[in-house]
């Protein structure tokens, strides 16, 4: 687990509700929630929920604030879930895989397999699930090798490629079995499905060279310096600076038990990914400025991958994008996102 700095954010809200609001429900925003996610969980369009609270549909919602949840008649009926794209099922607040499976006459294993999940996965309100046909069991939706697959609990410092190699399978087959891409990060504490009967990995006689990872060398940068570097990478200066403070307090000597290093707490695998894919300039692992540059390049990429959704991009920086898309934000991630977004306002965001 990375170095975490405790943060007490005093957030207050005193929003005057319109006279008609007493007939509507309210929702207390918790860390990590978004306007669109709350709307989806209550069967509303983001526009309807935003309008009921005098907000823009692109507005950030603040933890601790109560939102008016309009009753039926505002955009989409609040009594039913929004249909999932291309059919399927849109997860409602409080749903579980077992409840959804029971409602649609399928087994939990079949529903999980159809969505690249483990049967014990907690589903997130607003997510879309594919539904196998009624009466479907795991044996009719997955191969025998998949249904009997082993699993692996990820520990700090592991990578998808390393786990695949250790189990004699290809990176592509491991990623596919878990609803990930081969470039996804393996998140410590999550459990991966290890498919049996998968193609064996072809291990070269000599491993390809990788760049040196970042080094916790000591030294500090100012908020202005961090913001300037972030701006050069296309990442919002205020957001990158907030992450830097949350991660290390601007201290390049920070080193976590998960081997995350420097001001932006970049792990060696992330450093290598950035060096290979996001920059043509050779990054100096000893440099506090290049540590910030690497973290900012990664943040800019995550923002592109999430359509500019700052909350999801920050969650992905902490938890990994593949994991966030697959299982939603973990409770620790929600608190991390809330802290960073609260800090962002202090750095000009």
């Amino acid at each position: 687990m990375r170095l975490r700095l405790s943060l007490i954010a005093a957030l207050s809200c005193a929003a005057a509700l319109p006279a008609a609001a007493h007939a509507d429900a309210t929702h207390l925003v918790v860390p990590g929630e978004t306007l669109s996610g709350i709307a989806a969980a209550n069967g509303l369009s983001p526009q309807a929920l935003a309008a009921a609270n005098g907000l823009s549909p692109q507005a950030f919602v603040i933890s601790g604030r109560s939102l008016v949840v309009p009753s039926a008649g505002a955009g989409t009926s609040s009594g039913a879930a929004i249909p999932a794209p291309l059919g399927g099922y849109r997860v409602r607040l409080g749903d579980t895989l077992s409840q959804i499976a029971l409602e649609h006459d399928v087994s939990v294993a079949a529903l999980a397999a159809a969505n690249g999940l483990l049967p014990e996965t907690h589903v997130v309100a607003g997510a879309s699930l594919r539904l196998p046909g009624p009466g479907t069991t795991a044996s009719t939706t997955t191969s025998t090798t998949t249904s009997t697959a082993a699993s692996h609990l990820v520990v700090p410092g592991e990578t998808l490629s390393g786990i695949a190699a250790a189990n004699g399978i290809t990176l592509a087959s491991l990623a596919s079995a878990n609803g990930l891409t081969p470039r996804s990060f393996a998140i410590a504490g999550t459990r991966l499905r290890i498919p049996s009967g998968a193609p064996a990995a072809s291990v070269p006689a000599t491993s390809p060279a990788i760049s040196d990872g970042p080094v916790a060398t000591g030294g500090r940068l100012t908020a202005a310096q961090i913001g300037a570097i972030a701006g050069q990478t296309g990442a919002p200066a205020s957001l990158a600076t907030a992450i830097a403070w949350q991660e290390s307090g601007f201290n390049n000597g920070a080193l976590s038990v998960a081997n995350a290093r420097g001001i932006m707490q970049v792990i060696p695998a992330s450093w290598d990914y950035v060096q290979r894919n996001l920059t043509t300039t050779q990054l100096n692992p000893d440099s506090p400025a290049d540590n910030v540059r690497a973290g900012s390049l990664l943040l800019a990429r995550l923002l592109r991958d999430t359509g500019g959704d700052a909350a999801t991009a920050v969650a992905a920086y902490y938890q990994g994008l593949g994991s966030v898309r697959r299982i939603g934000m973990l409770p620790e991630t929600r608190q991390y996102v809330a802290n960073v977004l609260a800090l962002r306002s202090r750095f000009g965001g």
Side-chain angles (χ1 to χ4, degrees):
M1 183 178 294
R2 297 177 180 171
L3 173 68
R4 302 289 169 225
L5 303 176
S6 65
L7 171 70
I8 301 176
L11 301 174
S12 61
C13 63
L17 301 181
H22 70 277
D24 298 322
T26 60
H27 174 86
L28 182 65
V29 180
V30 298
E33 288 190 305
T34 63
L35 195 70
S36 59
I38 297 169
N42 287 278
L44 296 168
S45 67
Q47 292 79 7
L49 182 60
N53 291 275
L55 302 172
S56 161
Q58 289 77 42
F60 291 108
V61 287
I62 306 300
S63 174
R65 177 177 178 180
S66 290
L67 295 180
V68 176
V69 179
S71 54
T76 304
S77 169
S78 61
I82 299 173
L86 304 179
Y89 180 82
R90 179 82 72 176
V91 179
R92 300 166 299 191
L93 193 64
D95 275 346
T96 63
L97 273 183
S98 59
Q99 291 170 336
I100 298 168
L102 182 62
E103 289 178 10
H104 293 86
D105 190 27
V106 298
S107 72
V108 177
L111 179 60
N115 291 277
L117 304 173
L118 296 176
E120 61 268 24
T121 299
H122 295 290
V123 287
V124 180
S128 298
L129 297 179
R130 292 187 295 274
L131 292 174
T136 305
T137 63
S139 61
T140 61
T141 60
T142 61
S143 67
T144 302
T145 57
T146 300
S147 63
T148 59
S151 65
H152 173 84
L153 183 64
V154 180
V155 298
E158 287 191 306
T159 63
L160 279 184
S161 58
I163 296 169
N167 287 276
I169 59 176
T170 64
L171 173 59
S173 63
L174 177 63
S176 177
N178 291 276
L180 305 173
T181 69
R183 291 184 175 179
S184 297
F185 297 110
I187 306 302
T190 59
R191 189 171 290 280
L192 297 178
R193 182 184 293 111
I194 306 297
S196 57
S202 175
V203 182
T206 303
S207 299
I210 62 172
S211 61
D212 292 331
V215 179
T217 57
R220 293 178 179 271
L221 297 181
T222 66
Q225 289 171 320
I226 293 169
I229 295 169
Q232 295 168 4
T233 69
S238 60
L239 191 60
T241 307
I243 288 175
W245 180 259
Q246 174 70 18
E247 289 287 356
S248 69
F250 302 164
N251 176 18
N252 200 58
L255 177 65
S256 82
V257 294
N259 207 22
R261 307 169 184 180
I263 292 173
M264 299 294 282
Q265 288 290 274
V266 182
I267 62 174
S270 296
W271 180 275
D272 187 58
Y273 171 79
V274 170
Q275 183 68 79
R276 286 179 179 275
N277 300 281
L278 302 183
T279 183
T280 57
T281 302
Q282 186 65 37
L283 299 176
N284 179 358
D286 295 311
S287 167
D290 276 356
N291 189 283
V292 171
R293 186 166 288 107
S296 297
L297 284 165
L298 181 59
L299 175 61
R301 174 58 186 266
L302 291 171
L303 283 165
R304 292 194 295 272
D305 289 346
T306 58
D309 185 335
T312 305
V314 172
Y317 190 94
Y318 181 88
Q319 184 180 325
L321 183 56
S323 176
V324 170
R325 286 175 169 170
R326 192 171 75 256
I327 64 174
M329 296 185 198
L330 300 171
E332 182 184 0
T333 304
R334 290 181 179 275
Q335 186 60 59
Y336 178 87
V337 171
N339 289 351
V340 169
L341 295 183
L343 281 167
R344 186 181 188 182
S345 63
R346 301 185 185 183
F347 297 114

